[in-house]
Each structure stands twice: as structure tokens, then as C-alpha cells.
Amino acid sequence: AQKVTQAQTEISVVEKEDVTLDCVYETRDTTYYLFWYKQPPSGELVFLIRRNSFDEQNEISGRYSWNFQKSTSSFNFTITASQVVDSAVYFCALPKQGNKLTFGGGTRVLVKP
Amino acid sequence: DAGITQSPRHKVTETGTPVTLRCHQTENHRYMYWYRQDPGHGLRLIHYSYGVKDTDKGEVSDGYSVSRSKTEDFLLTLESATSSQTSVYFCAISESTGEGETQYFGPGTRLLVL
């Protein structure tokens, strides 16, 4: 069965600090994708990244970076030099057949000025 | 912007009342999904569709039905609303690129069942 665990329910940081969000997953599939979505206070869900299990290279996009480690079934997300606009709930997700997403419970990030 | 709209955006209804939520997309995507979001649970799949008149259940389908008579519209019906169905409902489409599929979400519908 598919499962995604985001153990951190809430993280509070001061602006310019780095913050890392953990995502641990379970799947029996040998190849799969992993996703991160952002949900700002306005409520919409914003796609951030899709990662193929074949590719374990770290991904960097501006202040965002992702560390995928297949050996530990983790796909962690780091925000470098956090800003107030990064305050949001972040979800990790894993699809199964038919691209049906299984989501983690989400991590709320609060960045204080 | 994946061209997804949801209506209504907010609704208050009473227990036992039928409710229909609409998801509309403009880009001819084949796959469409309905999720509900509740605190501590992330999003959970209710139903999905893989084409016109082709639908299937997700993990929390009890009390819900769906219909898709046109590619662009995917309707979610609460046959007899209960307070446990108070939630935020998100519609999604799946967009295919050369590397795989990515889901994009509509703005959500906030439903309160009294």
C-alpha cells in the first residue's frame, strides 16, 4: 500500500533561516514519481516539483532544493533563506496507478519577520 | 494556470440535502479527480474519471457519486449531505508531458454542512 508520512506538522522559523521539510514514503512500485505542492494561506494548491525515482540527483530551483534518497525512501525539501511569502502548508505526494495521488498530512511552515 | 474552475466556491447546506459541486476545465484533459481536504489528513481521493462516462472510486467514496457526460465537466454529488462531509473539495486534472503526468488543482470549494 502507498503511504506518505510528513512527521513535522508545523515548523516556525525567523526570516532568512533555512528550513527542511521531511517526507518519507512507502511503495511497492519499482519506478514511481514523487511530488511537492504548496498551499499558501489563500488556499490554492500550487505544484512545485515532480521527481522520477530513477533520478536521485538533488534538484535546485532558486531558494528551493530537494534531496531524494531512494535508500531511505525520503524526499526532503529545503527552503534556503526563508521569506515571509514562504509561509504555507507543504504537501508531499506519491501517485499510484491512474496517477491517483496519496498525500502526506502536510507541514505548516510559518516564517516570522 | 491549467484552466480549472470550480463552482460554487462556498456553500452552506443542511444535513440531508443533496449537493452538487461542479468542476470545469478548458483544456480537454482526459483525467479528472475529486479530493477532499481535512485537517491532519492532507488530501484524499474521492472519485476520479479517465474519460467521458468512465469513472471509478477513490479511498473515501462513500456518500458521494460523480458524473462526467462531457470532457470538460466533472460533477461531484453528495446524495444526502452529512456533517462529516464538511470539508474543502478540490478538483484536479492530470496533464501529460514527455516525462510523465502532473496533477493541477482547481481553486477549491468550501462546503459547510449544518
Side-chain angles (χ1 to χ4, degrees):
Chain A
Q2 311 270 109
K3 187 177 181 182
V4 178
T5 302
Q6 295 179 254
Q8 307 146 306
T9 55
E10 185 164 325
I11 302 174
S12 182
V13 297
V14 176
E15 207 168 18
K16 298 184 182 176
E17 289 183 342
D18 297 348
V19 55
T20 296
L21 285 61
D22 298 332
C23 172
V24 174
Y25 62 90
E26 296 175 26
T27 180
R28 293 179 182 170
D29 295 340
T30 53
T31 61
Y32 47 90
Y33 289 93
L34 290 158
F35 294 81
W36 277 94
Y37 288 86
K38 174 182 180 179
Q39 187 175 43
S42 52
E44 72 272 24
L45 281 154
V46 178
F47 165 72
L48 294 179
I49 189 172
R50 180 186 68 211
R51 198 74 178 153
N52 189 319
S53 59
F54 280 121
D55 186 358
E56 291 196 60
Q57 284 190 345
N58 288 345
E59 176 96 11
I60 299 174
S61 176
R63 295 183 297 103
Y64 293 174
S65 62
W66 289 269
N67 180 264
F68 174 41
Q69 293 195 345
K70 206 168 180 179
S71 61
T72 56
S73 297
S74 65
F75 186 39
N76 296 337
F77 172 33
T78 297
I79 304 172
T80 302
S82 60
Q83 299 177 0
V84 172
V85 294
D86 296 325
S87 296
V89 181
Y90 293 86
F91 292 98
C92 182
L94 172 69
K96 48 188 174 184
Q97 189 180 14
N99 202 31
K100 295 170 283 185
L101 291 177
T102 298
F103 283 83
T107 298
R108 182 178 301 276
V109 174
L110 177 61
V111 182
K112 299 176 182 176
Chain B
D1 184 357
I4 308 166
T5 56
Q6 292 185 230
S7 59
R9 294 292 314 279
H10 303 270
K11 185 166 182 69
V12 180
T13 192
E14 294 186 348
T15 298
T17 305
V19 175
T20 295
L21 309 182
R22 181 184 182 231
C23 177
H24 179 78
Q25 55 127 338
T26 59
E27 298 183 4
N28 215 33
H29 296 290
R30 179 183 172 193
Y31 286 85
M32 298 183 75
Y33 308 80
W34 277 107
Y35 293 86
R36 60 178 288 175
Q37 182 180 16
D38 304 291
H41 289 280
L43 281 81
R44 292 178 292 175
L45 182 67
I46 305 171
H47 281 281
Y48 66 102
S49 171
Y50 44 94
V52 173
K53 298 193 191 308
D54 291 326
T55 65
D56 207 346
K57 297 178 180 179
E59 61 179 300
V60 290
S61 60
D62 287 349
Y64 301 95
S65 63
V66 289
S67 66
R68 192 163 178 205
S69 59
K70 300 185 289 185
T71 299
E72 58 265 35
D73 289 325
F74 190 30
L75 304 180
L76 176 71
T77 297
L78 289 63
E79 291 138 12
S80 177
T82 67
S83 58
S84 64
Q85 293 176 310
T86 291
S87 188
V88 181
Y89 291 86
F90 286 96
C91 173
I93 59 90
S94 187
E95 184 172 281
S96 181
T97 66
E99 297 179 350
E101 303 269 340
T102 297
Q103 281 190 31
Y104 295 92
F105 289 81
T109 294
R110 191 172 294 273
L111 177 67
L112 174 62
V113 183
L114 300 175

